[in-house]
Amino acid sequence: MSYTGTAHKVGEHIDTDAIIPARFLVTTDTKKLGENCMAGLEEGWVKRVKPGDVMVAGRNFGCGSSREHAPIAILGAGMPVVIAHSFARIFYRNSFNMGLLLLEVGDEVDKIADGDTVEVDAAKGLITNRTTGATITCPPLPASMRELLDKGGLVPYVKERLS
Amino acid sequence: MAHTLAQKILQAHTDEAITAAGRIVRCRVSLALANDITAPLAIKSFRAMGAKKVFDRDKVALVMDHFTPQKDIDSAQQVKLTREFAREMGITHYYEGGDCGVEHALLPELGLVGPGDVVVGADSHTCTYGGLGAFATGLGSTDVAGAMALGETWFKVPPTIRATFTGALPKWVGAKDLILRLIGEIGVDGALYRALEFDGAAIEALSVEGRMTIANMAIEAGGKVGLFAADAKTLAYTASRGRKDVALAADPGATYERELTFDVSGMEPVVACPHLPENVKPVGEVKGVTLDQVVIGSCTNGRISDMREAAEVLKGRKVAKGVRCIVLPATPGVWKEALKEGLIETFMESGCIVGPATCGPCLGGHMGILADGERAIATTNRNFRGRMGSLESEVYLASPAVAAASAVAGVIAHPGSL
């Protein structure tokens, strides 16, 4: 799992109403949700995103509601990974269930500025800021999260249990 | 080992020994819940999992409360899809229409949740049932789909923060003020990944409904659950809903990660200012802030005790000209009781808009959306930017008494100042 893209930096306590406002929750379609990703932060925010880009955030990213539409909207917008100081817990579970990779890096997140090019090597647990040369080492993923990602998310996991 | 409330409940639902916080355990669930926004996604995942039936048709609840009565074609389609799934699976507890209310007010009222239960809901305010002593927490739709299929889910055993409230509550200070004060103190991520456990004389004195108001907002501090011991009041409440429960308390000598004590004596009502629930100030510091809308209702403060508190303030008074005061009793049961007690008449005489049991404006869904530059005070749970409508609007959070007083004054006001 290796990704290179432009960092789109957002602030602290970005809530799920900012990621995908409730008025867009009348669909479960990934593409439609992606078109309105971060519309609660700024209308048209998503226009800056190119497929493969990376979301970078401060503390407690994804706080608020349990809506799984939030990680789906981020994936739908074309961003496969979010790097943050910390994540809210429901969002954390939802993201791995949906196949969105989250990397919790604490204060090290300050080494990435908006617009920097970042390279993420999830297997090595290494983030490289290609713009500045700075590197961030991520703590290893919890075993249960790695197992979920290995199986391809919660849906294949339960499917296997049921068969 | 001595268990906190969270550990004790989880232990009763798993075969693995819980010896410390941090361990991941598989737990049997007592009830799995989803609503009209989250059920369609859960159903999509449930089908993709290849599941053919739910683990127990009496232990799945589907409550159509967010965008209902159906506000537009898309939301109607989502309810229709969920209704058809409920029929196909033979789900007992499917609610839509006249027997439906705001899920976290409805399920306790129907006796579907109680002490010692493990409840997972695809709604972040599922933690409300902690007020009854249930380990109840919000998960995403796919996690809930997994629980609907397997009857179990995994949890990381959380460390617990104990919040003790001492002293006697002054007039006009209630459950909402206590939880806002706590969130103001520890911040919106102060209990991230943690359980909150509440105790103390002020908690013991609170009604079960008040305890649910506090538990409801545990998530606004990032908490996994907000737990209360099940005492004689709890058991009387659940018995009146046809349940037979037993008392439940943390073990003496349980280990807490952090212990906080708050003296409520002499406390003033508080409000949370835009745009985070942690921006908490005594009402006196924000009095005079002008308002366009007041919302009294929601899973936080839409129960009968909240209706009584608001009506006590509104009785014989008028809502200020230019302010829309929207009252949404949270369930048909609350609505009927409010009607019987004359509270609905009080609201109507005061010039309130009394609406159906729905989440409605709390999440900016419908029935009271804010325009650019408009400002509301609400008894709801979140004041994130744009939560109730326009990104250029503002929401203050407060108790029913403060919201009602502010409706009369037309500006944020202390109920004692009218």
Side-chain angles (χ1 to χ4, degrees), chain B residues 94-281:
Chain B
Y94 172 78
Y95 298 99
E96 180 197 346
D99 63 354
C100 187
V102 175
E103 51 194 336
H104 309 309
L106 185 71
L107 299 195
E109 192 179 284
L110 295 174
L112 293 178
V113 290
D117 285 356
V118 169
V119 183
V120 294
D123 187 279
S124 61
H125 293 110
T126 301
C127 52
T128 307
Y129 318 131
L132 298 170
F135 185 100
T137 193
L139 299 177
S141 292
T142 298
D143 262 324
V144 167
M148 278 163 49
L150 301 174
E152 59 174 57
T153 193
W154 63 269
F155 291 113
K156 190 169 173 180
V157 177
T160 297
I161 298 173
R162 181 184 193 177
T164 304
F165 290 86
T166 62
L169 287 170
K171 176 76 178 164
W172 303 122
V173 175
K176 185 64 163 285
D177 302 293
L178 302 192
I179 186 61
L180 287 179
R181 183 169 165 191
L182 174 75
I183 297 165
E185 178 83 18
I186 69 174
V188 291
D189 59 351
L192 190 57
Y193 306 127
R194 279 148 183 83
L196 281 163
E197 195 175 303
F198 299 91
D199 63 13
I203 296 297
E204 286 162 30
L206 277 181
S207 70
V208 171
E209 292 194 350
R211 295 174 192 177
M212 286 196 271
T213 295
I214 291 177
N216 172 273
M217 290 189 74
I219 179 68
E220 308 321 329
K224 181 180 275 189
V225 289
L227 282 164
F228 291 71
D231 62 8
K233 279 186 189 174
T234 319
L235 299 184
Y237 178 93
T238 65
S240 74
R241 270 83 190 162
R243 290 177 63 100
K244 287 195 186 81
D245 292 302
V246 291
L248 178 71
D251 292 333
T255 305
Y256 295 93
E257 184 188 69
R258 190 176 171 193
E259 300 195 44
L260 301 159
T261 302
F262 301 89
D263 183 2
V264 305
S265 315
M267 196 179 152
E268 197 188 328
V270 294
V271 296
C273 304
H275 292 288
L276 281 178
E278 70 182 23
N279 297 335
V280 175
K281 290 181 181 163

Side-chain angles (χ1 to χ4, degrees), chain B residues 269-307:
Chain B
V270 294
V271 296
C273 304
H275 292 288
L276 281 178
E278 70 182 23
N279 297 335
V280 175
K281 290 181 181 163
V283 67
E285 282 183 28
V286 286
K287 67 178 180 195
V289 171
T290 57
L291 298 167
D292 302 285
Q293 177 165 300
V294 178
V295 176
I296 299 170
S298 86
C299 59
T300 313
N301 284 119
R303 299 181 185 80
I304 190 65
S305 53
D306 303 310
M307 297 297 123

Side-chain angles (χ1 to χ4, degrees), chain B residues 272-277 279 375-376 383-385 393-397:
Chain B
C273 304
H275 292 288
L276 281 178
N279 297 335
R375 191 180 293 126
N383 57 351
F384 301 145
R385 198 167 148 250
S393 64
E394 290 184 344
V395 178
Y396 286 73
L397 304 176

Side-chain angles (χ1 to χ4, degrees), chain B residues 314-327:
Chain B
L314 288 165
K315 191 157 181 78
R317 297 190 170 110
K318 293 282 184 201
V319 171
K321 193 143 184 70
V323 173
R324 356 177 244 281
C325 181
I326 301 163
V327 182

Side-chain angles (χ1 to χ4, degrees), chain A residues 13 15 17 22 25 28 40-41 64-66 68 87 89 93-94 97-98 104 144-145 154 157 159 161, chain B residues 24 26 44 49 67 78 122-123 137-138 140-143 152-154 188 193 363 382 384-385 387 391:
Chain A
H13 308 300
D15 58 87
D17 284 274
L25 304 184
T28 59
L41 190 68
S65 88
S66 71
E68 204 165 88
F87 295 97
R89 66 161 279 275
R93 286 182 75 127
N94 284 348
N97 287 344
M98 292 297 102
E104 197 166 58
S144 55
M145 294 296 122
L154 187 64
Y157 172 84
K159 197 169 185 175
R161 285 274 310 268
Chain B
I24 289 176
R26 300 207 65 83
K44 197 173 171 182
M49 286 165 180
F67 291 158
Q78 299 217 111
D123 187 279
T137 193
S141 292
T142 298
D143 262 324
E152 59 174 57
T153 193
W154 63 269
V188 291
Y193 306 127
L363 73 162
R382 292 195 172 124
F384 301 145
R385 198 167 148 250
R387 170 81 176 173
L391 284 177

Side-chain angles (χ1 to χ4, degrees), chain A residues 83-130:
Chain A
I83 302 166
H85 185 286
S86 58
F87 295 97
R89 66 161 279 275
I90 305 177
F91 181 82
Y92 188 86
R93 286 182 75 127
N94 284 348
S95 296
F96 282 91
N97 287 344
M98 292 297 102
L100 175 66
L101 176 65
L102 305 184
L103 297 170
E104 197 166 58
V105 299
D107 292 336
E108 300 274 281
V109 77
D110 294 339
K111 289 183 179 173
I112 307 172
D114 190 49
D116 286 354
T117 301
V118 292
E119 184 183 335
V120 174
D121 187 330
K124 285 192 190 144
L126 185 70
I127 300 166
T128 308
N129 187 332
R130 289 260 162 239

Side-chain angles (χ1 to χ4, degrees), chain A:
Chain A
M1 287 183 289
S2 180
Y3 312 95
T4 304
T6 302
H8 300 291
K9 201 154 183 188
V10 294
E12 303 203 326
H13 308 300
I14 297 295
D15 58 87
T16 56
D17 284 274
I19 299 170
I20 183 82
R23 65 183 181 278
F24 300 118
L25 304 184
V26 289
T27 177
T28 59
D29 185 77
T30 305
K31 190 167 165 284
K32 281 189 201 155
L33 290 167
E35 284 165 6
N36 294 298
C37 181
M38 307 306 281
L41 190 68
E42 184 191 319
E43 295 288 352
W45 185 95
V46 74
K47 288 184 190 137
R48 71 191 69 190
V49 178
K50 296 184 301 297
D53 282 356
V54 173
M55 178 94 84
V56 181
R59 282 175 196 276
N60 201 25
F61 184 79
C63 63
S65 88
S66 71
R67 64 190 69 156
E68 204 165 88
H69 313 66
I72 296 174
I74 295 170
L75 284 167
M79 294 176 281
V81 54
V82 184
I83 302 166
H85 185 286
S86 58
F87 295 97
R89 66 161 279 275
I90 305 177
F91 181 82
Y92 188 86
R93 286 182 75 127
N94 284 348
S95 296
F96 282 91
N97 287 344
M98 292 297 102
L100 175 66
L101 176 65
L102 305 184
L103 297 170
E104 197 166 58
V105 299
D107 292 336
E108 300 274 281
V109 77
D110 294 339
K111 289 183 179 173
I112 307 172
D114 190 49
D116 286 354
T117 301
V118 292
E119 184 183 335
V120 174
D121 187 330
K124 285 192 190 144
L126 185 70
I127 300 166
T128 308
N129 187 332
R130 289 260 162 239
T131 306
T132 65
T135 58
I136 302 169
T137 319
C138 318
L141 282 179
S144 55
M145 294 296 122
R146 212 167 41 236
E147 191 192 345
L148 266 183
L149 280 185
D150 286 347
K151 288 199 193 300
L154 187 64
V155 167
Y157 172 84
V158 176
K159 197 169 185 175
E160 192 181 299
R161 285 274 310 268
L162 288 172
S163 62

